[in-house]
PDB file of all heavy atoms in Angstrom:
ATOM      1  N   ALA C 206      24.379 -18.396   2.252  1.00  0.00           N
ATOM      2  CA  ALA C 206      23.422 -17.825   1.290  1.00  0.00           C
ATOM      3  C   ALA C 206      21.990 -18.111   1.735  1.00  0.00           C
ATOM      4  O   ALA C 206      21.741 -19.033   2.511  1.00  0.00           O
ATOM      5  CB  ALA C 206      23.667 -18.406  -0.089  1.00  0.00           C
ATOM      6  N   ALA C 207      21.050 -17.312   1.217  1.00  0.00           N
ATOM      7  CA  ALA C 207      19.645 -17.459   1.622  1.00  0.00           C
ATOM      8  C   ALA C 207      19.019 -18.748   1.077  1.00  0.00           C
ATOM      9  O   ALA C 207      18.199 -19.374   1.754  1.00  0.00           O
ATOM     10  CB  ALA C 207      18.847 -16.253   1.146  1.00  0.00           C
ATOM     11  N   GLY C 208      19.399 -19.145  -0.133  1.00  0.00           N
ATOM     12  CA  GLY C 208      18.781 -20.315  -0.775  1.00  0.00           C
ATOM     13  C   GLY C 208      18.796 -21.560   0.098  1.00  0.00           C
ATOM     14  O   GLY C 208      17.736 -22.153   0.361  1.00  0.00           O
ATOM     15  N   PRO C 209      19.982 -21.992   0.560  1.00  0.00           N
ATOM     16  CA  PRO C 209      20.022 -23.195   1.406  1.00  0.00           C
ATOM     17  C   PRO C 209      19.228 -23.037   2.711  1.00  0.00           C
ATOM     18  O   PRO C 209      18.635 -24.004   3.199  1.00  0.00           O
ATOM     19  CB  PRO C 209      21.510 -23.364   1.723  1.00  0.00           C
ATOM     20  CG  PRO C 209      22.238 -22.577   0.701  1.00  0.00           C
ATOM     21  CD  PRO C 209      21.325 -21.486   0.246  1.00  0.00           C
ATOM     22  N   GLN C 210      19.211 -21.828   3.273  1.00  0.00           N
ATOM     23  CA  GLN C 210      18.444 -21.619   4.516  1.00  0.00           C
ATOM     24  C   GLN C 210      16.964 -21.935   4.280  1.00  0.00           C
ATOM     25  O   GLN C 210      16.320 -22.629   5.073  1.00  0.00           O
ATOM     26  CB  GLN C 210      18.560 -20.172   5.000  1.00  0.00           C
ATOM     27  CG  GLN C 210      19.965 -19.764   5.412  1.00  0.00           C
ATOM     28  CD  GLN C 210      20.019 -18.289   5.837  1.00  0.00           C
ATOM     29  OE1 GLN C 210      19.153 -17.799   6.526  1.00  0.00           O
ATOM     30  NE2 GLN C 210      21.056 -17.587   5.425  1.00  0.00           N
ATOM     31  N   LEU C 211      16.452 -21.413   3.149  1.00  0.00           N
ATOM     32  CA  LEU C 211      15.033 -21.629   2.850  1.00  0.00           C
ATOM     33  C   LEU C 211      14.742 -23.084   2.522  1.00  0.00           C
ATOM     34  O   LEU C 211      13.750 -23.655   2.990  1.00  0.00           O
ATOM     35  CB  LEU C 211      14.612 -20.745   1.664  1.00  0.00           C
ATOM     36  CG  LEU C 211      14.380 -19.283   2.004  1.00  0.00           C
ATOM     37  CD1 LEU C 211      14.155 -18.472   0.732  1.00  0.00           C
ATOM     38  CD2 LEU C 211      13.176 -19.141   2.941  1.00  0.00           C
ATOM     39  N   ALA C 212      15.617 -23.677   1.703  1.00  0.00           N
ATOM     40  CA  ALA C 212      15.388 -25.069   1.292  1.00  0.00           C
ATOM     41  C   ALA C 212      15.431 -25.998   2.501  1.00  0.00           C
ATOM     42  O   ALA C 212      14.571 -26.871   2.670  1.00  0.00           O
ATOM     43  CB  ALA C 212      16.441 -25.484   0.260  1.00  0.00           C
ATOM     44  N   PHE C 213      16.424 -25.779   3.379  1.00  0.00           N
ATOM     45  CA  PHE C 213      16.542 -26.636   4.553  1.00  0.00           C
ATOM     46  C   PHE C 213      15.357 -26.443   5.504  1.00  0.00           C
ATOM     47  O   PHE C 213      14.775 -27.411   6.007  1.00  0.00           O
ATOM     48  CB  PHE C 213      17.869 -26.359   5.275  1.00  0.00           C
ATOM     49  CG  PHE C 213      18.045 -27.155   6.547  1.00  0.00           C
ATOM     50  CD1 PHE C 213      17.997 -28.540   6.540  1.00  0.00           C
ATOM     51  CD2 PHE C 213      18.266 -26.507   7.757  1.00  0.00           C
ATOM     52  CE1 PHE C 213      18.147 -29.274   7.715  1.00  0.00           C
ATOM     53  CE2 PHE C 213      18.423 -27.228   8.939  1.00  0.00           C
ATOM     54  CZ  PHE C 213      18.360 -28.616   8.914  1.00  0.00           C
ATOM     55  N   SER C 214      14.957 -25.190   5.712  1.00  0.00           N
ATOM     56  CA  SER C 214      13.855 -24.962   6.657  1.00  0.00           C
ATOM     57  C   SER C 214      12.559 -25.587   6.141  1.00  0.00           C
ATOM     58  O   SER C 214      11.782 -26.155   6.907  1.00  0.00           O
ATOM     59  CB  SER C 214      13.681 -23.472   6.951  1.00  0.00           C
ATOM     60  OG  SER C 214      13.155 -22.797   5.838  1.00  0.00           O
ATOM     61  N   LEU C 215      12.355 -25.527   4.825  1.00  0.00           N
ATOM     62  CA  LEU C 215      11.145 -26.129   4.264  1.00  0.00           C
ATOM     63  C   LEU C 215      11.174 -27.652   4.418  1.00  0.00           C
ATOM     64  O   LEU C 215      10.166 -28.282   4.743  1.00  0.00           O
ATOM     65  CB  LEU C 215      11.010 -25.743   2.782  1.00  0.00           C
ATOM     66  CG  LEU C 215       9.667 -26.039   2.137  1.00  0.00           C
ATOM     67  CD1 LEU C 215       8.540 -25.286   2.837  1.00  0.00           C
ATOM     68  CD2 LEU C 215       9.682 -25.672   0.645  1.00  0.00           C
ATOM     69  N   GLU C 216      12.369 -28.214   4.210  1.00  0.00           N
ATOM     70  CA  GLU C 216      12.513 -29.671   4.379  1.00  0.00           C
ATOM     71  C   GLU C 216      12.199 -30.069   5.827  1.00  0.00           C
ATOM     72  O   GLU C 216      11.481 -31.048   6.077  1.00  0.00           O
ATOM     73  CB  GLU C 216      13.958 -30.049   4.019  1.00  0.00           C
ATOM     74  CG  GLU C 216      14.250 -31.538   4.059  1.00  0.00           C
ATOM     75  CD  GLU C 216      15.730 -31.794   3.712  1.00  0.00           C
ATOM     76  OE1 GLU C 216      16.223 -31.208   2.725  1.00  0.00           O
ATOM     77  OE2 GLU C 216      16.372 -32.585   4.444  1.00  0.00           O
ATOM     78  N   VAL C 217      12.717 -29.283   6.785  1.00  0.00           N
ATOM     79  CA  VAL C 217      12.508 -29.606   8.198  1.00  0.00           C
ATOM     80  C   VAL C 217      11.019 -29.570   8.553  1.00  0.00           C
ATOM     81  O   VAL C 217      10.485 -30.522   9.119  1.00  0.00           O
ATOM     82  CB  VAL C 217      13.298 -28.635   9.118  1.00  0.00           C
ATOM     83  CG1 VAL C 217      12.871 -28.786  10.579  1.00  0.00           C
ATOM     84  CG2 VAL C 217      14.794 -28.861   8.982  1.00  0.00           C
TER      85      VAL C 217
END
Side-chain angles (χ1 to χ4, degrees):
Q210 295 178 42
L211 282 172
F213 177 57
S214 71
L215 193 61
E216 184 181 314
V217 169

